[in-house]
Amino acid sequence: MQWFHDTKISRRTFLAGTGALGVATAFQLNPLTQALVNAGVVHAANPIPIPGSGEWVPTVCQGCTTWCMKEAYVQDGRVFHVRGNQHSKITGKSGCVRQSMALTELYDPDRVRYPMKRTNPRKGRGEDPGFVRITWEEAMDTFAEKLMELRQKGEPYKYMTTRGRYGFMSGVMLANITRIIGSPNAITHSAICAEADKFGPYFMEGNWGYRQYDIKNSRYQLSFGADPIAANRQVSFATREWGNMLDHAKVAVVDPRFSSSAQKADEWLPIRPGTDSALALALAHVILTEELWHKPFVGDFFDGKNRFVSGQTVALETMVEAADAAVEAEDTTQGPTAVPTFNERYTHGLVQWWNLELKDRTPEWAAEITDIPVEQIVRVARDLGEAAPRVGIWLSRGMHMNTRGSYSSMCGHALAGLLGAAENDGGSMRFSARPTASLPDGAAYRDDLAKAGIAMEMIDRRGRLEFPALARGRSGAGVISAQPANSILEEDPYGIEVLYSSWNNFVYAQPHAQEWEEAMKKVPFQVHSTLNLAEQSMFADIILPASHSMFERWNVVANSGNGYGVVGIQQPMVKIGDIRQDESEIPWLLAEALDRKGFSAPLEYLKNEFTDPETGAHPTNGDELGLIMVKMMTRPFWDPDSTVGGTKFANWEEFRKVGMWTSDHYPFQSRWGNMGTKTGNFEFYSETLKDALQAHADRHNTDIDNVLATCNYEARGELAFIPHYENPVRHGSESEYPFLFIDYKHKLNREGRGCNHYWYTAERDTEPGDFKFGDAAKINPVDAERLGIETGDTIRLSSVSGTITCTASVWEGVRPGCVVKAFGMGHWAYGRNVSEEFGRTAIGGNNNELIPGDYDRLSGSSVFSGQIGVRVEKV
Ligand SMILES: Nc1nc2c(c(=O)[nH]1)N[C@H]1C(S)=C(S)[C@@H](COP(=O)(O)OP(=O)(O)OC[C@H]3O[C@@H](n4cnc5c(=O)[nH]c(N)nc54)[C@H](O)[C@@H]3O)O[C@H]1N2
Ligand SMILES: Nc1nc2c(c(=O)[nH]1)N[C@H]1C(S)=C(S)[C@@H](COP(=O)(O)OP(=O)(O)OC[C@H]3O[C@@H](n4cnc5c(=O)[nH]c(N)nc54)[C@H](O)[C@@H]3O)O[C@H]1N2
Ligand code: SF4
Ligand SMILES: [Mo]
């Protein structure tokens, strides 16, 4: 590969004490160039690259879950620039503000550049792990030895892998090899991400997944907490199109925080936290009483007369006189007959929903609960009805990652059904098909020990009575990402003795982070595959320096937007230090190390099952494995004999140069009547959920009401199957913790990654009310005056979970009674820019030390929003 260079940058790692900030330059550089030199992006001696002599190499950004198709400009073995892939029908060459921060992650002087081992056996905050450099061979041999000890004890299930962000090849290392070793415990971060987001869409329209929004053709966007121009999953596309969209669509943003999107919206609805479902139900109430539903999708009353009157039930059937033909024929056998009062077209259970729930959910009722005025609720409902079906209903973690959030998700998404916006032009639709080929799972390589191991209960307790985790409608099919900490501490179902964490920082990113810190002290042997030393690393015994996803590895990543599904490849274009590709080289090295210890199954699996589709060759090392996996997965797109639609390529090399495949445009309305639910229709009364709950209850010899009571939901009887209101669960009493905490993603966050970056801290004030270099907790001036707090004061925030210290910012964009704070600061161990003293002291505080450990158990999700009580005190 001529475009692959090892730049051999010999910077010392953070703990070895790097002096990169002090790069000596013989001449004065302007501040921007100096910053680039400091970050290692350009050479001090020759800071200006010769233009035009490099090349654009396609790749994919994974700075957030938008997963944009990109091109990186590589010259002289360095990456200088990133832009949208010119072939992308979602973004073209454009990109969000964070795309360039990928470069400073790549060239972060604090990156880990070689494997290390811990020399201090004591684990805990403030303990210096005493990392020292080791070889890859020693690292992998130690890892393999620990796994072999577990197998020798007959306890391979005490091995756990955790993953945060990932590429599509991650399953080989994290799940398939783990199962060959004999553990079922491949734990993903999905349930601290947004599983509740999928709950409503699945149980109403059969889509366990996120949605794309046809904003180019929409006439109304209603956001429940989403801030699409700053976060969520369409950021580059939304930032490009939002301005144009404002010319033809109204926007209403429901959020206790005056978000970037709210600032550009027609309506801001600063809702009382945790009460979104009341608002959604009241909107539905008005849409029905005012006959604003989309009849071509939902249907109509048999005689066209609206019977949805507040407070009144509607009969499921109505008696009608005999048909005229029977009267004319004097056929007296045909008396009055019963017909459905409402003829539903592509939906199911509208009248039951109305009778069981909606008839009483008036705007007046909702106004009391939500604090949103009746007139505004009615106005938004009417505008939605007028714009239907070209309406986007945008959900977010803020509205559904709460204790009863599965039902919030249903309440919100139900509006897409009523307005005919589901799977429709100008509305929202599931992700487009992106038919990558799957990789061989290695089942044939599991011996009896492995089979017995993977039959053990999983560490996250999924499927227990109190953890239905109904992903895709199956009891216990979803992950409960936060639960392992508790399981480890209680040794129920058992303890974990070997942990491999890949691309995650659970000690920082998990709610009630203190519990992860405690649990990690208890796991005797841990490996962290990471770019930077992070809080998670501080508990690790072995550090594996991983490739940067965008520039240093082979992988496949797919996404959807603007009606197109896209599949892109990441490819190695540079290499910093002695790193390895996390999803191909690291599994290969582990398999080799296990082989050296006499356990050959993982290596046989990799050598036998993976074949280059062009040459038939098998891999002989991890880099080859990476390329082969990419070619195998993407074959449907470049094999000339393939029958999948979308972009056509003649061969692999042609595909590699473009770097991405694009599907045909989304076929709107094609799923109407074929939704993938039990009835095939959009289920306002979810027969699909009824079956799933019944199956879970049967598994535990109980009834559905008991499942709901055990899992802390209020619904009993048939309410369980429809979108309905549940009172928010408040964590902490109002007297002790009078404020409610609002956590959100800063527009510069690249999940937990780009944070050790000068721009990240220096430009934090790109969110209004935030400070440069600081960690702001924003409160309303009314509250500030009452508490005698001014901007710049040091304040202490406390909740039932813990206490953090940060800086007050008095800002009108917060609903009174709330504290708004961006996720992202409060790292006690990351890098020089984001920790006050690495390994000990953070700048500001981690929101997750305030957020309690609680669940929305039907989806398995962790709680991050709803009503988290906090106390605010001036220090
Ligand atoms: N900038 C940026 N974008 C990202 C990411 C990132 O790190 N940075 N990460 C990506 C990832 S991993 C994910 S999962 C998605 C998540 O994207 P979203 O699901 O959109 O969720 P969050 O960004 O976590 O934001 C929560 C939002 O809810 C609001 N909120 C809080 N409480 C309430 C409430 O009670 N009601 C309402 N209506 N709103 C409330 C907050 O103000 C905030 O706007 O974003 C992705 N996009
Ligand atoms: N309070 C609060 N908590 C949150 C959220 C929030 O909005 N508020 N968001 C939640 C959400 S939506 C998510 S998805 C999770 C994310 O949380 P995690 O799943 O823990 O993921 P990250 O924080 O992105 O993981 C960061 C780690 O991965 C390493 N890393 C970065 N790039 C790579 C790579 O290419 N390869 C490898 N091997 N390692 C790499 C970094 O150095 C760092 O150690 O956090 C959740 N936690
Ligand atoms: S940070 Fe997110 S939105 Fe921005 S370019 Fe990367 S993947 Fe796309
Ligand atoms: Mo996420």
Side-chain angles (χ1 to χ4, degrees):
M1 286 175 278
Q2 24 105 47
W3 34 271
F4 180 102
H5 306 274
D6 186 337
T7 55
K8 294 203 176 58
I9 292 178
S10 60
R11 289 184 196 283
R12 289 169 290 162
T13 59
F14 184 83
L15 282 193
T18 166
L21 281 177
V23 173
T25 46
F27 48 92
Q28 199 62 37
L29 299 172
N30 71 44
L32 175 64
T33 312
Q34 183 64 59
L36 291 171
V37 170
N38 291 345
V41 178
V42 297
H43 291 284
N46 181 18
I48 312 299
I50 302 153
S53 58
E55 65 172 321
W56 288 101
V57 183
T59 184
V60 185
C61 180
Q62 294 194 274
C64 74
T65 31
T66 306
W67 293 357
C68 298
M69 301 294 126
K70 292 287 169 196
E71 288 172 300
Y73 192 72
V74 187
Q75 181 179 326
D76 299 335
R78 284 182 169 246
V79 190
F80 285 91
H81 190 35
V82 174
R83 69 176 183 200
N85 189 316
Q86 57 190 307
H87 304 284
S88 170
K89 290 185 179 171
I90 305 177
T91 60
K93 287 184 188 171
S94 68
C96 88
V97 293
R98 300 182 297 277
Q99 64 176 2
S100 303
M101 288 165 64
L103 288 173
T104 48
E105 286 171 6
L106 173 69
Y107 293 116
D108 183 344
D110 291 342
R111 252 188 90 176
V112 186
R113 282 149 209 258
Y114 39 73
M116 297 192 288
K117 74 173 175 195
R118 174 182 208 97
T119 54
N120 175 3
R122 287 188 307 278
K123 292 182 180 177
R125 199 188 289 209
E127 289 288 353
D128 180 349
F131 287 128
V132 295
R133 182 172 186 166
I134 54 172
T135 62
W136 273 95
E137 196 173 339
E138 183 183 346
M140 299 317 282
D141 274 342
T142 317
F143 187 5
E145 197 174 297
K146 297 290 174 186
L147 291 171
M148 291 309 288
E149 281 171 19
L150 285 184
R151 277 182 58 88
Q152 275 141 20
K153 285 198 292 181
E155 296 176 340
Y157 53 86
K158 292 189 175 172
Y159 172 46
M160 170 167 87
T161 64
T162 58
R163 74 147 174 76
R165 194 49 58 215
Y166 61 97
F168 280 23
M169 288 159 26
S170 65
V172 168
M173 172 71 186
L174 300 174
N176 301 356
I177 291 183
T178 305
R179 291 191 188 118
I180 294 172
I181 290 165
S183 173
N185 292 315
I187 301 294
T188 73
H189 77 182
S190 302
I192 60 165
C193 181
E195 288 296 90
D197 203 88
K198 305 166 183 166
F199 195 90
Y202 182 79
F203 287 105
M204 305 178 89
E205 61 157 294
N207 172 25
W208 189 266
Y210 304 121
R211 279 120 359 254
Q212 39 181 338
Y213 298 85
D214 187 24
I215 55 181
K216 278 188 176 162
N217 297 305
S218 81
R219 292 180 52 220
Y220 204 103
Q221 285 295 327
L222 173 62
S223 147
F224 286 99
D227 190 2
I229 52 177
N232 208 273
R233 300 178 190 79
Q234 304 275 303
V235 190
S236 290
F237 175 56
T239 43
R240 192 173 75 152
E241 287 300 328
W242 209 257
N244 297 333
M245 185 192 75
L246 294 177
D247 294 340
H248 53 77
K250 279 193 179 169
V251 177
V253 175
V254 184
D255 199 320
R257 171 179 74 93
F258 196 40
S259 65
S260 299
S261 302
Q263 288 162 33
K264 295 178 168 48
D266 299 273
E267 305 262 2
W268 177 36
L269 298 89
I271 196 163
R272 181 176 288 144
T275 65
D276 291 76
S277 45
L279 174 65
L281 293 167
L283 293 170
H285 181 99
V286 177
I287 288 165
L288 291 184
T289 54
E290 300 200 2
E291 209 175 335
L292 300 170
W293 68 87
H294 188 59
K295 292 182 179 175
F297 183 68
V298 181
D300 202 354
F301 286 96
F302 76 95
D303 57 358
K305 277 191 214 136
N306 188 9
R307 288 168 178 74
F308 293 124
V309 178
S310 273
Q312 293 181 20
T313 53
V314 172
L316 285 176
E317 291 186 330
T318 303
M319 299 303 285
V320 293
E321 291 305 320
D324 288 351
V327 176
E328 255 170 48
E330 294 180 14
D331 177 356
T332 49
T333 59
Q334 285 200 30
T337 50
V339 297
T341 313
F342 193 101
N343 289 317
E344 290 189 79
R345 287 202 71 180
Y346 299 106
T347 63
H348 173 81
L350 179 65
V351 173
Q352 286 98 317
W353 184 32
W354 170 264
N355 289 344
L356 287 163
E357 177 72 7
L358 282 184
K359 68 178 179 8
D360 303 318
R361 300 315 187 194
T362 59
E364 292 73 18
W365 166 82
E368 281 283 308
I369 294 172
T370 60
D371 237 9
I372 304 296
V374 171
E375 312 80 72
Q376 194 174 23
I377 299 175
V378 173
R379 185 171 64 238
V380 171
R382 287 180 182 156
D383 286 350
L384 282 168
E386 195 177 306
R390 295 176 176 230
V391 168
I393 307 292
W394 212 312
L395 311 184
S396 84
R397 296 173 76 250
M399 76 93 70
H400 52 53
M401 294 296 275
N402 61 56
T403 315
R404 292 161 177 165
S406 286
Y407 288 113
S408 313
S409 171
M410 285 181 84
C411 290
H413 194 64
L415 293 170
L418 274 188
L419 296 164
E423 305 287 312
N424 206 357
D425 197 347
S428 60
M429 55 274 190
R430 65 191 68 200
F431 279 7
S432 306
R434 296 145 304 157
T436 48
S438 51
L439 294 174
D441 71 0
Y445 296 81
R446 296 176 200 150
D447 59 11
D448 288 344
L449 182 58
K451 284 179 193 154
I454 63 175
M456 295 290 288
E457 182 183 11
M458 284 183 75
I459 190 75
D460 62 356
R461 304 184 190 168
R462 65 182 71 176
R464 284 195 188 178
L465 174 62
E466 69 277 18
F467 280 124
L470 299 175
R472 295 184 177 80
R474 283 188 297 121
S475 164
V479 63
I480 303 135
S481 314
Q483 180 55 33
N486 201 20
S487 301
I488 289 166
L489 290 169
E490 294 176 358
E491 296 193 21
D492 170 15
Y494 41 78
I496 289 295
E497 293 184 12
V498 179
L499 166 66
Y500 175 71
S501 319
S502 176
W503 197 343
N504 66 62
N505 188 14
F506 282 0
V507 175
Y508 175 82
Q510 288 271 1
H512 194 35
Q514 298 92 327
E515 189 176 44
W516 275 84
E517 247 179 271
E518 284 311 305
M520 290 303 101
K521 285 186 206 162
K522 254 192 101 171
V523 177
F525 183 79
Q526 303 175 39
V527 180
H528 192 203
S529 153
T530 186
L531 249 53
N532 282 69
L533 290 180
E535 284 80 0
Q536 184 72 40
S537 322
M538 302 310 274
F539 298 85
D541 298 272
I542 300 279
I543 300 291
L544 300 181
S547 49
H548 189 286
S549 56
M550 198 168 166
F551 308 108
E552 295 179 315
R553 70 171 190 183
W554 287 110
N555 224 307
V556 178
V557 182
N559 208 355
S560 279
N562 195 24
Y564 296 99
V566 288
V567 179
I569 57 169
Q570 295 168 325
Q571 37 191 335
M573 50 193 93
V574 293
K575 184 177 178 189
I576 310 296
D578 194 17
I579 55 121
R580 295 289 182 277
Q581 299 179 42
D582 48 3
E583 294 178 12
S584 52
E585 289 182 295
I586 289 179
W588 183 274
L589 292 174
L590 178 63
E592 278 187 336
L594 287 166
D595 186 53
R596 285 196 291 273
K597 310 256 173 245
F599 180 46
S600 59
L603 191 60
E604 282 167 20
Y605 158 60
L606 297 179
K607 281 187 169 168
N608 299 342
E609 299 297 319
F610 294 83
T611 321
D612 187 316
E614 282 184 313
T615 65
H618 293 284
T620 60
N621 60 49
D623 186 49
E624 285 176 15
L625 175 68
L627 174 57
I628 287 173
M629 288 201 274
V630 169
K631 288 172 85 171
M632 288 171 79
M633 291 190 99
T634 59
R635 183 179 186 166
F637 312 120
W638 53 262
D639 185 335
D641 296 333
S642 165
T643 53
V644 307
T647 347
K648 296 268 175 259
F649 296 96
N651 53 43
W652 156 256
E653 193 49 30
E654 196 182 297
F655 170 69
R656 188 194 66 75
K657 282 192 186 131
V658 172
M660 62 174 291
W661 167 87
T662 309
S663 74
D664 296 326
H665 195 271
Y666 198 84
F668 293 126
Q669 301 184 7
S670 63
R671 283 190 171 265
W672 287 15
N674 174 31
M675 285 286 190
T677 51
K678 187 175 179 192
T679 62
N681 289 323
F682 190 103
E683 295 182 344
F684 296 120
Y685 182 106
S686 178
E687 305 287 352
T688 312
L689 179 54
K690 191 176 190 172
D691 281 2
L693 283 169
Q694 191 60 56
H696 184 71
D698 290 348
R699 206 173 151 187
H700 296 283
N701 296 316
T702 186
D703 57 26
I704 295 176
D705 280 358
N706 185 39
V707 170
L708 293 170
T710 310
C711 295
N712 199 9
Y713 296 91
E714 295 178 316
R716 299 293 179 270
E718 290 191 293
L719 275 186
F721 318 131
I722 57 165
H724 68 273
Y725 183 66
E726 298 252 334
N727 286 294
V729 172
R730 197 180 204 282
H731 295 89
S733 68
E734 233 180 300
S735 54
E736 235 183 313
Y737 303 104
F739 285 84
L740 293 176
F741 189 67
I742 304 299
D743 171 88
Y744 75 102
K745 287 182 166 58
H746 194 283
K747 59 167 70 98
L748 295 183
N749 274 23
R750 292 171 52 90
E751 292 166 24
R753 299 190 277 288
C755 57
N756 183 42
H757 168 15
Y758 180 80
W759 294 338
Y760 179 74
T761 46
E763 308 296 337
R764 271 188 89 71
D765 57 352
T766 46
E767 289 278 1
D770 273 76
F771 306 128
K772 290 183 184 300
F773 304 110
D775 191 19
K778 303 179 241 191
I779 54 174
N780 189 276
V782 175
D783 293 323
E785 197 182 337
R786 198 164 40 79
L787 296 174
I789 289 175
E790 288 177 12
T791 295
D793 286 349
T794 302
I795 53 172
R796 190 163 47 230
L797 304 179
S798 315
S799 74
V800 290
S801 173
T803 299
I804 61 173
T805 305
C806 53
T807 312
S809 169
V810 181
W811 181 52
E812 299 82 351
V814 191
R815 208 193 118 83
C818 292
V819 178
V820 168
K821 187 168 173 296
F823 176 54
M825 298 297 282
H827 275 286
W828 56 270
Y830 208 91
R832 74 189 62 194
N833 287 313
V834 83
S835 302
E836 186 75 46
E837 186 194 354
F838 182 89
R840 288 177 208 280
T841 323
I843 300 172
N846 179 2
N847 291 3
N848 286 323
E849 291 178 28
L850 289 179
I851 295 172
D854 191 13
Y855 302 94
D856 167 50
R857 290 164 188 269
L858 288 181
S859 69
S861 299
S862 282
V863 165
F864 288 91
S865 56
Q867 299 198 339
I868 298 167
V870 282
R871 188 169 58 241
V872 182
E873 294 157 300
K874 196 167 156 176
V875 179

